[in-house]
Amino acid sequence: MKKIMSGNEAFAYGTYLAGIKVGAGYPGTPSTEVLENYSRYPGAYAEWSPNEKVAMDVGIGAALAGKRALVTMKHVGLNVAADSLFTVSYTGTNGALVIVNADDPSMHSSQNEQDNRHYAKASKVVMLEPADSEEAKRFVKIAVDISEMFDTPVILRSTTRLSHSKCVVELEDEPADVAVEPAAYERNASKYVMVPMNARQRRLVVEERLKKLAEYAETTPINYIEPGSGDIGVIAAGVNYQYAKEVFPEATFLKLGMVYPLPERLIRDLAGRVKQVVVVEELDPFIEEHVRLLGIPVKGREVFPGIAEFSQGRIRKHAAATGLVPKEADTPIFQTSQLPVRPPMLCPGCAHRPVFYALQRLRVAVMGDIGCYTLGAAPPLGSMHSCICMGASIGNVHGVDRAGVKDRTAAVIGDSTFFHSGIAPLINLISNGGNSTVIVVDNRITAMTGHQPHPGTGWTMMGKEVPNVSIDALARAVGFKKVDVINPYDFKLVMDTIREHTSSDEPSLIVSQYPCVLNIKEKKPAPAVDLDACNECGNCLRIACSPMTKVDGGVRIDPALCIGCGFCASVCNQGAIKVPN
Amino acid sequence: MKNKYDFLFAGVGGQGTILASDILCEIGLRCGYDVKKSEVHGMSQRGGAVESHVRWGEKVYSPLIEEGKTDFLLAFEMLEAARWPHYTAANTVAIINRHQILPPSVNLGQAQYPEEKEIESILAGTGAKVVWVDGAAKALELGNAALGGVVLLGALSIYLDEPVEVWEKTIAELVPAKFKELNIKAFQAGRELMQK
Ligand SMILES: Cc1ncc(C[n+]2csc(CCOP(=O)(O)OP(=O)(O)O)c2C)c(N)n1
Ligand code: SF4
Ligand code: SF4
């Protein structure tokens, strides 16, 4: 039986087939659907942890206890979890530990374009890279086998194009029920307690393991040579293999399923068969540098760019420009740049909107963070002035204030982001005598990545009810005296509270609380516009809510798109926008 | 069986391009093709421009369509049709839903929404054939604006040899159960619009 699956669905299916029993992760495009899909399989336990490091530690714990474990995150998530990764590489894992980690070439939904293959090398951990959904399914089991055979964590690398493209997957027999042994924690301090004395011993084990893995890389069936004709030998992994097959249909290929460690003899074998070795890889010249170290002349970055994702079209263009493949007829150049752009926007009625509009009116310098609310940086709201990475806002605003900036300043951070990495900097603010204002835009859910629960939500991804952590109570408990919880649609209150907090000398916290309207599917009747009362001041258009259109003599609200939040009515000084009672 | 078909979907986040491209992908599989599709989720779903690539073939490697090589462009929105001329060629059929979703700059009166003629001339640069479909109007007539995409699939089916029963069966299985009949009606309406 065949089924069409996305790369992420296939990773989840493979996880189920491989008998993995515990999954933990933190959402992040393009990795999110791996854990979501896995959680729906019978016998699976899956959880969203508050951040990637916690997820990694949960996975490590399950693996140390002898179970097979899955950890998922996007590329930047591994920055957060790296501390654990680098040392679990030393301890080894007992049960299998498989980390699905998705890079985002072209930054479709990310703040940077880092190439996480470097993490495999730096932490001395195996990395596999499937090229389609069928391989995504199969490679999970291979990762489990390698992990248990070599006592090492294994990273399964994905990219946006693999995670979010779909292709045909062969369905397999249900996994045989492995005799359920109760989990047991092996007490073995010299292996699991990484004090220097023990770590020095394990360091040697890691080096030995890498040697054996390099040997394994030569013989594993997921690294193989596909003989072709002609002078060119292509080395590729992941989805780049698919693109390269279309551009170099005749070439001899070294298809790599394992991108770290790399197979030296196979690479030499390929080089011996062809006149020119070409490495087709996105982002950094990771494979290319290795080939160069072997003393083999290779074309890579000198032909193909190191920025943004590839496609067969892009590869063909660059290969043709350097004579590796024949030129095709030039396609005409098109001028589509004059077309109006269509950027992503906050949803109609989103509760983040009033907060950003108020921050704009009060001319606050805003240190921001990552989530739907980052769209508050876009014009015409334009009221976020930094966004570095998750959890950065609170440390940033403290730094800005310590530098002596005289403007009104505030940190704006989402609720999921707050639990992810906002708590330590909040404590830092108090414990170093800071006086900054923190605004948590609390929509009760992780909206940006598709509405996952978090510690403030009150239920888990498996649907279990749990206590929910109160952000305002937490702030009071760590020493904040000035704490206010407000409804963002009460615009006068929003203005007054932000004005008051940003002028105060005390450290303070505002929780702007209303559920994400897309998630709760809120829909109230749209307001009516009285064109006679409207003086065309344009105030309501500056809140950038998409149902509102400028028309002759005023504005129009599209009732199909409007959710009736009433915010536009509260910014109209003429009383021309009327909310139906 | 032709040895390859490429279908590029263009639209606005929330318009249902993902479901429609899923349906088309499944139809390809049921008709004996190797199939792949690709799209980008995330940020772009909040009302931004979205694209989806569907490929049928004897053996499909890349999940992406190559520039200048698509067989069909299926635009769920008029302005979005105009963004993709570089994927079209003289043999491309561009099926465009006569439906406008105004982007913010147009809403604010800072930019102009292109005229139908302008959109046609942008696509005519490669000789692509433009076919307008009143999908949005038909969908509203059937009582649900979200059906526009399936009307377009009906229009597309006229250009392909795959049996109508496979289309209808696949649509019925992939859309939410309670909208099954409506979707089949929308599909048939799309076929009728083309046969007029
Ligand atoms: C380290 C890291 N992990 C994950 C992500 C992906 N990501 C971006 S924003 C976000 C969650 C935002 O949720 P929240 O703070 O509640 O804001 P909302 O989207 O609900 O407004 C996630 C998971 C990331 N950018 N960086
Ligand atoms: S998904 Fe929710 S939080 Fe995100 S923009 Fe829409 S309403 Fe706002
Ligand atoms: S009531 Fe006004 S602000 Fe709220 S969704 Fe409708 S148009 Fe937007």
Side-chain angles (χ1 to χ4, degrees):
Chain A
M1 259 273 280
K2 289 181 188 337
K3 196 170 173 224
I4 298 171
M5 287 190 191
S6 70
N8 282 352
E9 286 165 343
F11 277 124
Y13 181 46
T15 302
Y16 166 63
L17 292 175
I20 290 179
K21 294 297 180 210
V22 176
Y26 183 72
T29 315
S31 70
T32 312
E33 302 84 5
V34 178
L35 198 65
E36 279 178 338
N37 281 288
Y38 166 68
S39 74
R40 294 180 201 124
Y41 282 101
Y45 170 78
E47 69 172 43
W48 289 125
S49 304
N51 67 33
E52 293 86 354
K53 171 162 171 37
V54 177
M56 182 74 85
D57 292 335
V58 170
I60 291 172
L64 293 191
K67 293 282 158 186
R68 294 177 173 170
L70 167 78
V71 179
T72 71
M73 62 195 65
K74 69 182 290 173
H75 63 335
V76 288
L78 200 54
N79 300 340
V80 179
D83 207 5
S84 304
L85 173 70
F86 276 66
T87 304
V88 75
S89 167
Y90 281 32
T91 62
T93 61
N94 192 10
L97 178 62
V98 178
I99 301 152
V100 174
N101 187 223
D103 282 7
D104 189 15
S106 282
M107 298 174 272
H108 293 286
S109 327
S110 303
Q111 69 266 36
N112 78 25
E113 198 179 45
Q114 66 189 52
D115 184 334
N116 274 16
R117 292 177 298 176
H118 298 295
Y119 268 117
K121 190 171 180 187
S123 67
K124 302 178 189 296
V125 156
V126 187
M127 181 177 268
L128 309 184
E129 186 171 357
D132 59 22
S133 302
E134 172 64 24
E135 285 193 353
K137 173 200 76 179
R138 279 201 295 120
F139 280 21
V140 181
K141 182 64 172 63
I142 295 169
V144 162
D145 291 343
I146 294 174
S147 181
E148 290 177 351
M149 202 160 27
F150 294 92
D151 193 21
T152 176
V154 177
I155 304 173
L156 270 172
R157 179 184 191 237
S158 185
T159 56
T160 302
R161 211 40 86 176
L162 176 76
S163 281
H164 287 171
S165 64
K166 294 192 172 180
C167 61
V168 183
V169 170
E170 242 355 289
L171 294 185
E172 298 191 10
D173 297 336
E174 290 296 296
D177 231 354
V178 212
V180 194
E181 276 175 51
Y185 189 81
E186 179 202 352
R187 296 168 198 215
N188 181 349
S190 62
K191 184 163 188 281
Y192 296 124
V193 180
M194 285 304 93
V195 292
M197 184 179 66
N198 294 339
R200 284 184 204 113
Q201 292 307 313
R202 295 299 303 175
R203 176 77 184 81
L204 304 175
V205 175
V206 170
E207 220 52 31
E208 268 314 297
R209 184 180 74 201
L210 262 188
K211 277 198 204 121
K212 289 188 196 136
L213 282 163
E215 200 48 48
Y216 176 88
E218 305 287 357
T219 53
T220 169
I222 64 173
N223 289 336
Y224 56 89
I225 289 185
E226 264 175 12
S229 55
D231 298 340
I232 292 178
V234 176
I235 306 179
V239 72
N240 288 295
Y241 164 78
Q242 314 288 1
Y243 304 146
K245 284 295 277 187
E246 295 204 7
V247 181
F248 304 97
E250 318 276 82
T252 301
F253 270 74
L254 171 55
K255 154 83 168 75
L256 294 174
M258 186 163 168
V259 291
Y260 190 78
L262 286 162
E264 184 180 325
R265 289 203 299 279
L266 275 176
I267 293 169
R268 289 193 192 284
D269 180 356
L270 177 79
R273 295 173 188 229
V274 298
K275 291 214 177 90
Q276 177 64 60
V277 174
V278 177
V279 175
V280 178
E281 60 185 330
E282 284 161 337
L283 307 183
D284 296 338
F286 184 84
I287 300 171
E288 179 185 346
E289 280 175 3
H290 185 86
V291 176
R292 277 190 199 290
L293 279 179
L294 300 179
I296 298 167
V298 51
K299 285 197 193 297
R301 223 19 101 246
E302 74 179 86
V303 179
F304 309 110
I307 298 175
E309 76 173 330
F310 287 173
S311 62
Q312 66 272 35
R314 215 172 158 216
I315 293 172
R316 195 187 308 281
K317 193 178 112 203
H318 290 281
T322 46
L324 285 174
V325 298
K327 251 197 163 68
E328 295 199 342
D330 276 334
T331 39
I333 308 287
F334 295 97
Q335 279 303 327
T336 51
S337 53
Q338 80 286 0
L339 294 172
V341 293
R342 197 185 293 279
M345 291 186 295
L346 293 173
C347 296
C350 174
H352 294 327
R353 184 175 281 107
V355 176
F356 284 105
Y357 188 60
L359 288 163
Q360 187 210 63
R361 294 260 296 258
L362 295 167
R363 314 187 109 273
V364 180
V366 175
M367 303 308 118
D369 230 302
I370 307 193
C372 281
Y373 54 96
T374 312
L375 293 169
L381 290 171
S383 40
M384 183 182 288
H385 309 103
S386 80
C387 168
I388 312 283
C389 64
M390 283 189 79
S393 59
I394 303 179
N396 289 160
V397 78
H398 178 57
V400 165
D401 290 342
R402 283 287 132 143
V405 170
K406 287 283 169 282
D407 298 348
R408 285 179 193 276
T409 60
V412 173
I413 183 167
D415 44 346
S416 189
T417 308
F418 178 79
F419 290 114
H420 178 279
S421 44
I423 298 174
L426 191 79
I427 294 174
N428 177 61
L429 199 59
I430 280 286
S431 57
N432 279 306
N435 61 358
S436 306
T437 301
V438 176
I439 303 174
V440 183
V441 282
D442 177 9
N443 57 8
R444 320 301 298 149
I445 205 85
T446 316
M448 167 103 237
T449 44
H451 304 108
Q452 293 78 19
H454 61 58
T457 306
W459 41 273
T460 72
M461 90 181 289
M462 308 286 287
K464 186 175 173 205
E465 271 194 55
V466 286
N468 68 337
V469 182
S470 153
I471 297 169
D472 50 300
L474 190 146
R476 287 196 188 88
V478 301
F480 280 77
K481 301 233 161 46
K482 195 175 178 62
V483 177
D484 282 302
V485 182
I486 59 173
N487 176 343
Y489 297 110
D490 184 344
F491 190 58
K492 184 172 177 315
L493 180 68
V494 176
M495 286 290 285
D496 290 348
T497 313
I498 296 180
R499 189 186 292 110
E500 206 227 320
H501 277 243
T502 51
S503 351
S504 140
D505 287 337
E506 256 189 282
S508 74
L509 180 109
I510 302 170
V511 182
S512 168
Q513 200 169 68
Y514 198 88
C516 161
V517 293
L518 184 66
N519 192 37
I520 61 169
K521 302 193 170 57
E522 184 143 284
K523 180 94 182 159
K524 294 184 270 192
V529 182
D530 177 354
L531 288 182
D532 294 333
C534 172
N535 69 350
E536 298 191 65
C537 71
N539 258 354
C540 60
L541 291 171
R542 282 189 277 276
I543 67 171
C545 193
S546 60
M548 308 196 72
T549 313
K550 169 124 195 45
V551 293
D552 276 345
V555 296
R556 192 184 95 84
I557 295 178
D558 181 346
L561 297 175
C562 170
I563 64 140
C565 76
F567 175 49
C568 51
S570 61
V571 301
C572 175
N573 299 324
Q574 306 301 312
I577 303 180
K578 296 196 176 64
V579 182
N581 336 348
Chain B
M1 200 157 113
K2 219 185 116 184
N3 68 359
K4 84 119 204 176
Y5 280 110
D6 287 340
F7 310 90
L8 182 65
F9 287 70
V12 177
Q15 269 198 299
T17 50
I18 294 189
L19 178 60
S21 56
D22 274 342
I23 292 172
L24 188 62
C25 200
E26 183 69 32
I27 289 167
L29 178 68
R30 293 183 185 190
C31 294
Y33 289 101
D34 184 21
V35 296
K36 282 195 177 165
K37 73 162 247 171
S38 186
E39 67 231 345
V40 167
H41 308 206
M43 202 79 177
S44 49
Q45 284 179 306
R46 305 273 177 267
V50 292
E51 69 186 274
S52 191
H53 301 225
V54 174
R55 311 191 74 193
W56 297 358
E58 257 171 56
K59 164 83 190 151
V60 181
Y61 286 105
S62 171
L64 293 172
I65 297 167
E66 189 161 346
E67 288 87 336
K69 293 191 181 169
T70 195
D71 299 280
F72 295 94
L73 170 63
L74 286 132
F76 283 41
E77 200 272 351
M78 292 164 51
L79 166 59
E80 294 314 312
R83 279 193 222 284
W84 303 96
H86 51 298
Y87 275 79
T88 65
N91 64 339
T92 305
V93 180
I95 302 176
I96 309 177
N97 188 9
R98 207 175 251 120
H99 179 48
Q100 299 187 346
I101 300 176
L102 304 185
S105 53
V106 175
N107 267 339
L108 296 172
Q110 298 159 348
Q112 280 276 317
Y113 194 95
E115 305 269 332
E116 268 189 41
K117 273 209 226 65
E118 238 178 286
I119 295 170
E120 280 188 23
S121 75
I122 289 176
L123 289 165
T126 55
K129 178 174 175 218
V130 173
V131 179
W132 293 96
V133 175
D134 284 312
K138 205 24 112 188
L140 280 182
E141 205 182 294
L142 290 168
N144 191 333
L147 294 168
V150 178
V151 178
L152 283 200
L153 287 182
L156 170 69
S157 71
I158 297 289
Y159 290 90
L160 299 167
D161 298 330
E162 279 54 43
V164 178
E165 306 76 60
V166 181
W167 287 81
E168 294 190 348
K169 191 162 179 296
T170 312
I171 292 170
E173 283 173 30
L174 265 66
V175 301
K178 62 177 175 179
F179 298 118
K180 203 166 89 178
E181 263 99 64
L182 259 183
N183 275 282
I184 299 293
K185 274 201 193 132
F187 173 75
Q188 288 164 347
R191 289 182 66 86
E192 280 157 25
L193 283 176
M194 295 302 296
Q195 278 153 341
K196 263 188 209 148

